[in-house]
Every structure is written in structure tokens, then in C-alpha cells.
Amino acid sequence: APLGAFARAKDLVVEFDDSEVRSRLEEKELELAQIDEQIKKAQADLAISENQDQVDLLTARYGVRRAELEVKRNELLAAIDAKKNLLALDEARRRLKQLESDVQSRREQAKAQLAVFQEKRAKSLIELSREKRRLAQTKVLSPISGLVAIKQNQPNFFFSGMQIPDIREGDQLNAGQPVADVLDLSAMEVVARIGELDRANLKDGQEAVISLDAIPGKPLRATIKSMSGSATSNVFCSDPAKKFDVTFSLDMKQLFSVLGVKADDIQKILAIGEQNSSRPVPPPPPAPAPGAGSPNAPAPTPATASLASEFSDADLAKAKLPPPPEENSQFSVLLRPGLLADVEIIVERIPNAISIPSQAVFQRDGKLIAWVKHGREWEARAFTPLKRSESIMVVAKGLQAGERVALSDPTAKSTQKKDTQGKAGALGALPGGGTGGN
């Protein structure tokens, strides 16, 4: 389906190349037809053989009966002729017994051969059914109404700075690789990683301002939806510090308004979201490994495209791709998992606040100081802190607005300056915390 297209329930989202499956399906159908013909031939041969055996048995029984009648005339015949009649009777009975045994053996052999053909047919039916299911699974239909987001074609190798393209028609994919998401437009989440000092200042429902890189210059309202209870480190990130995952919920009405969506369309989208929430949705795919993905990434609620077994043959036959998005639509640009955003959490509003970076905070004689530019010299000035986060320090008194502060000790030597910078980093941790003040 086109990237950014709006798919309705039971619309076609992804279709895989089914040429090999159809080829195997035709081979299985031909094999089943051959087995059916073999079964018909075996049944016909068995019927002919049974008819012939019945004729032979009837002839043998008549022979025994004729021999028995000849034996009854032995009183009127000579001894030698009587002996011949007895021998003829014994021979007729032996031939009848042998014929009955042969008939039973041939019947059992024919039934055994027929059972082998039936077993082959049952096995062929199972394989044919499996190929039909595989053919049905080459079409992936949308279980809900939502926006189509195409995944990236992850290669078997990766290097820094590599540009990964989206999956396109004709690409070959690895087994189990996700192809597309159907996103419920009624909700959108942003996940950020927060430092330990900032975590203590947060709570559920707290307000935040989010700036999506896809639509710069247009801040959006958001609230904290959930927070992780324990901190984790990202092994794929250069920052070794452990941080907490915080999930934010965007104000979708404001987002749609920013994108230029009409009020009536907004109500329709939200109504479709309510319908989707009442539908049974299959479980999402397994979560990625810890550290996978990017922080501050918008993640619209995805619904995994259902397998074909949830839809009838009629649904699969009439399923069509959704129409492409309009040229002026920004959905294809914005609503995709993995995009980046900047999060500013409003902890407290402080009017006329003076703040400095945490790297500019030093400690001397048990007091916090900052190196302030005074003419051509640097002056060590003690100050009183008011609020503190991972990245900034709000000053209560001791510093004035507009003064320049140093991020390292200007009086230390080069080797000592590195140690001083390390100590300063230990006070405020690395930059990039998510808490700010106004």
C-alpha cells in the first residue's frame, strides 16, 4: 500500500510474490489428481478380480458337487472306478480350498494397495491445504482502519551513517521481518529517556511541550502517560548513564489542527479510533531488544496486520489497495514510528529565572561556584541554587542575567582542567536531560 495511505478494515496492505506458492499448489493438485486416478484404477481392478474369483469359486463348488454325486454311484461301479471317484472328490475339495485361500489373499493385497493410495491421497490433501493457506497468507489485510506506515528494509549488515530505504515493490525480505504498520490515528505517543534527578520531579498527567522534527516551529501539548519504575542503560548509546523511560500522550486534536485537517474530518478520525478500540486486535509483534530504536521517537499505536486466516476467501478475493494520500497530506511525513522529537516537561514555572548549564557548576570549600567573566579575567563566584535538573541549574542569587560563565576551570592546567571537567560532569551528569523551567 502507498506510504501514508488511509486503509479501511479489510483493505489490502501487503501482497507477497505468490508465483512459487502457486507453482507448488499446481504440482500438489496434479499429484492429487494422479492419486485419484490410481485409486479408481485400483478399485476397478479389485472389482474385476472379485467378479472373476466369484466365477472361479462357483465353478470349483460345482466341481466338488459333481464329484460328490459320482462318489454316491460307487456301489454300482467297480472298485477301481470307485477309487477314482474318491480321488477326484479329494482333488476337487483341495482345489476349492486352495482357490478360497488365493481369493482371500488377493482381496487383502488389493485392499492393502488401495489403503496405501488412500494414505497418499490424505497426505497430498494435507500438503495441498497447507499450500492453500500459504497462498492465502500472501495477502495481508488490515484488521482496523488506520494509516499505513511502511517499514525500512533492514539489511543483513549495517555501518554507521548507512541510509536504510523503505520497503518497496520487488524487494526481497528476510523471514519474520515486519513490512508495514496500520496506525490508529486517534492516539500518538512519544517515548523519552529521563535522568534520575529529573525522574523525581515527574508524575503522571504532568504537562509537557513537544516539538516534532517533522513539523518544526509548531509546539504541541502533551501529558505524561506512564513512567518506568526502574532505570536502564542503552548499550547502543554513547551515554552509559541509566535512565527512565517516560511515555507522553499527544493532544491529537491540536496535532490535526496544525496539519490542516478539517474539524469534521477530525471527528471522523476520532470516531474511527473508538471503533478500532472495540474490535479484537491481534497481539503486537515482540518488542525490540533493549536499546533498539531512538529515544524521543513518536510511536503511533500500531496494529499488526492480521493473517489471512482471520478473513474469508471472499474478503481476500475482493481486497484492494487503499488510494494514495493526497499531495498536500502531511500524514505520510509525520505519522511514522521512529521519528524524533524534542520534549520539554513543565515541572515548575519560575518567572525571571536565571539558569546555567550543569557543566558550569564547580565546588570549592563545600560551596557551589561558577567562573564568571570579569573583564579579561575569570572570577570564582559563589552562588545559591534554587532548582536543579540533569542539564541546568536554576540560580537563586549570586549571578546576574547576561554574565558569561566558563564550562571548565580557566585557572587549571591542561591536565588538571580535564580532571576538573570530569568532576563538573559528575555533579550535573551529561547534557540532554528532558526537564526545563520557564
Side-chain angles (χ1 to χ4, degrees):
L3 175 64
F6 187 81
R8 299 285 181 177
K10 298 183 180 181
D11 276 355
L12 181 62
V13 179
V14 177
E15 185 174 6
F16 295 93
D17 183 11
D18 59 356
S19 57
E20 294 184 3
V21 180
R22 289 188 178 276
S23 177
R24 293 196 304 267
L25 182 62
E26 292 177 358
E27 291 178 359
K28 297 302 180 183
E29 290 177 344
L30 180 60
E31 181 181 350
L32 180 62
Q34 290 176 348
I35 295 176
D36 288 338
E37 293 299 325
Q38 291 175 351
I39 291 176
K40 291 179 181 179
K41 182 178 181 300
Q43 290 175 344
D45 292 342
L46 178 60
I48 294 173
S49 176
E50 287 183 349
N51 291 334
Q52 185 62 42
D53 289 339
Q54 293 297 328
V55 173
D56 294 340
L57 285 174
L58 184 60
T59 303
R61 292 191 181 99
Y62 284 155
V64 172
R65 182 59 177 169
R66 186 182 299 110
E68 290 176 349
L69 293 176
E70 290 294 334
V71 169
K72 291 182 178 181
R73 297 173 57 242
N74 286 346
E75 296 178 356
L76 305 176
L77 300 177
I80 187 170
D81 293 333
K83 186 67 175 178
K84 287 181 180 180
N85 290 337
L86 291 175
L87 292 176
L89 177 60
D90 292 340
E91 177 64 19
R93 289 176 176 175
R94 185 190 63 79
R95 189 182 300 112
L96 176 60
K97 185 176 181 180
Q98 181 64 35
L99 183 59
E100 290 176 347
S101 177
D102 293 343
V103 169
Q104 183 67 23
S105 298
R106 284 194 295 270
R107 185 180 292 118
E108 291 179 356
Q109 182 180 1
K111 289 182 177 180
Q113 186 178 7
L114 188 60
V116 171
F117 287 143
Q118 293 289 355
E119 187 65 25
K120 287 184 178 180
R121 187 178 188 278
K123 180 180 178 181
S124 181
L125 282 175
I126 293 175
E127 294 177 353
L128 182 63
S129 177
R130 184 184 298 115
E131 294 301 333
K132 287 183 177 180
R133 288 198 302 270
R134 289 174 178 171
L135 181 62
Q137 290 174 0
T138 58
K139 289 186 177 182
V140 183
L141 275 56
S142 175
I144 63 173
S145 298
L147 194 76
V148 177
I150 305 298
K151 295 285 189 177
Q152 293 179 329
N153 192 355
Q154 298 289 342
N156 296 326
F157 60 91
F158 182 80
F159 55 86
S160 179
M162 178 177 178
Q163 295 292 332
I164 303 177
D166 294 336
I167 296 175
R168 294 172 293 183
E169 184 177 354
D171 286 355
Q172 186 173 1
L173 307 178
N174 297 323
Q177 181 176 346
V179 180
D181 283 335
V182 178
L183 309 177
D184 186 350
L185 298 183
S186 62
M188 186 172 180
E189 298 176 352
V190 177
V191 180
R193 294 179 62 81
I194 305 298
E196 295 185 41
L197 292 179
D198 294 331
R199 173 65 173 82
N201 298 323
L202 305 184
K203 60 182 179 180
D204 292 343
Q206 196 164 347
E207 295 182 1
V209 177
I210 294 180
S211 299
L212 301 178
D213 290 359
I215 47 174
K218 296 180 180 179
L220 302 172
R221 295 188 300 272
T223 56
I224 295 179
K225 183 178 180 180
S226 61
M227 295 181 289
S228 61
S230 59
T232 57
S233 60
N234 190 343
V235 296
F236 298 98
C237 182
S238 59
D239 185 1
K242 291 186 176 182
K243 295 188 176 183
F244 295 85
D245 290 333
V246 181
T247 303
F248 301 86
S249 179
L250 282 173
D251 187 341
M252 297 305 296
K253 290 185 178 180
Q254 182 191 13
L255 174 60
F256 290 138
S257 300
V258 170
L259 295 178
V261 181
K262 298 179 180 179
D264 295 340
D265 295 336
I266 294 177
Q267 296 298 328
K268 291 180 181 178
I269 292 175
L270 297 179
I272 291 175
E274 294 180 358
Q275 295 176 3
N276 292 336
S277 62
S278 62
R279 292 172 57 90
V281 179
S294 302
N296 302 339
T301 306
T304 305
S306 302
L307 294 178
S309 58
E310 298 188 9
F311 302 98
S312 63
D313 294 338
D315 294 335
L316 295 173
K318 65 182 181 180
K320 296 182 179 180
L321 293 173
E326 299 178 0
E327 294 182 358
N328 58 352
S329 174
Q330 299 190 51
F331 285 162
S332 60
V333 179
L334 174 64
L335 298 181
R336 297 183 61 188
L339 299 182
L340 300 180
D342 293 328
V343 180
E344 180 182 357
I345 309 172
I346 303 174
V347 176
E348 184 179 358
R349 297 187 182 275
I350 305 175
N352 302 323
I354 298 176
S355 63
I356 60 174
S358 296
Q359 296 94 325
V361 179
F362 301 91
Q363 190 171 6
R364 175 183 290 182
D365 299 331
K367 297 181 179 180
L368 297 180
I369 66 168
W371 290 99
V372 182
K373 186 72 171 180
H374 186 71
R376 294 185 176 181
E377 302 295 332
W378 291 94
E379 174 188 354
R381 187 182 304 175
F383 66 90
T384 302
L386 179 62
K387 293 287 184 179
R388 181 175 188 174
S389 71
E390 294 281 350
S391 57
I392 63 172
M393 174 77 75
V394 181
V395 179
K397 60 180 180 179
L399 299 177
Q400 301 298 324
E403 291 182 323
R404 298 177 61 189
V405 294
L407 299 181
S408 61
D409 190 347
T411 62
K413 296 181 180 180
S414 59
T415 56
Q416 295 177 348
K417 186 178 295 185
K418 293 181 180 180
D419 296 339
T420 305
Q421 290 177 352
K423 293 178 181 178
L427 286 173
L430 295 177
T435 303
N438 295 331

